[in-house]
Amino acid sequence: MTTHGPANRPRVGVIGLGIMGSAMANNLVKAGFEVFGYDPVPAARQGLKKAGGRACKNVHELTQKAQHLVLSLPSEAALDQVCAELLATGHKGLIAADTSTLPEACKLRHKKALARCGITLLDCPLSGTGAQALSRDLAVYASGNAKAIKAMQGVFAGFARVRYDVGDFGNGMRMKLVANLLVAIHNVSSAEAILMGARAGLDPATIVKVVSDGAGGSRMLQVRGPMMVNRSWQEATMKVSTWQKDMQLIQDLLQATDTPAPLFSATLPIYNAAMAMGHGMDDTAAVFSVLERWTQWAPKI
């Protein structure tokens, strides 16, 4: 193991420095790790430098610096590319915790290919928004090789509030989709509740404060309620366009398991409408804008 500093902590490599990846890398730096990062976007690499990390020019250079890797990738194509580059390094002993929300079959295919070259891939998706990632308020759903998860426990603690070991490889993604099904519903229900209260004459900020502290509260009301009240959904912590990918993965698992989900299904047109209304690059809190505009279009009786 390559170590650094008096705490004898491992060097960490973060591949993918977007909203989530950059927040994790920054928190690892704050926790005292020596962090190396790679992202094809120059501005993302520059952001890591400003945070105190070290930017690498490619995946090969990064694996020469660190054996404990965190992947935070936006698509299957990105995972395909990164895993191909990991294979090309021929660097045995690497442990790569993939925190991305991507199809289980894609992850499993790469796990098998990397294992043949002595590289361990873990399926470790995250529960939490980009804003929560900034404050280290994330939950890691770790699945796969138990020994490798144990080796990564200090890294997880550097960027997450808690880690749950959920068993065999792939269970992490399944747990993530269970959580995201609830997120999809709670996000829209938060918008409905705030809008109803506001139209009834209540102060929206007071609604969020009071209801969040009672039986009707939810994490989404706490996290996204203020964004809805302040209309700050342009400051995206989860873009609507990215969320559509997660919604499709949930639909796929519902179909594969023959699970009825009427509440989740009812949210689909809300998120689709957000896309149609130009909110693709905005935070999913923009569903409030969708519902609000629907009231404006409703015929007056």
Side-chain angles (χ1 to χ4, degrees), residues 97-111:
D98 181 30
T99 66
S100 317
T101 302
L102 297 172
E104 180 184 335
C106 175
K107 293 193 179 194
L108 184 59
R109 181 176 73 252
H110 289 301
K111 170 188 175 292

Side-chain angles (χ1 to χ4, degrees), residues 123-125 140-144 149 163-176:
D123 172 38
C124 302
V140 179
Y141 299 151
S143 66
I149 291 174
R163 182 192 88 245
Y164 292 102
D165 297 347
V166 295
D168 294 339
F169 188 97
N171 280 356
M173 269 306 305
R174 296 171 200 173
M175 194 69 73
K176 167 71 170 181

Side-chain angles (χ1 to χ4, degrees), residues 271-284:
Y271 292 107
N272 288 343
M275 290 292 295
M277 293 178 181
H279 290 297
M281 299 303 290
D282 293 339
D283 190 88
T284 55

Side-chain angles (χ1 to χ4, degrees), residues 14 62 67 144-145 173 197 204 214 222 224 227 231 239 248:
V14 179
L62 184 144
Q67 287 189 299
N145 184 283
M173 269 306 305
Q222 294 172 353
R224 292 213 160 90
M227 299 179 74
R231 314 182 71 81
K239 297 175 184 177
Q248 184 60 57

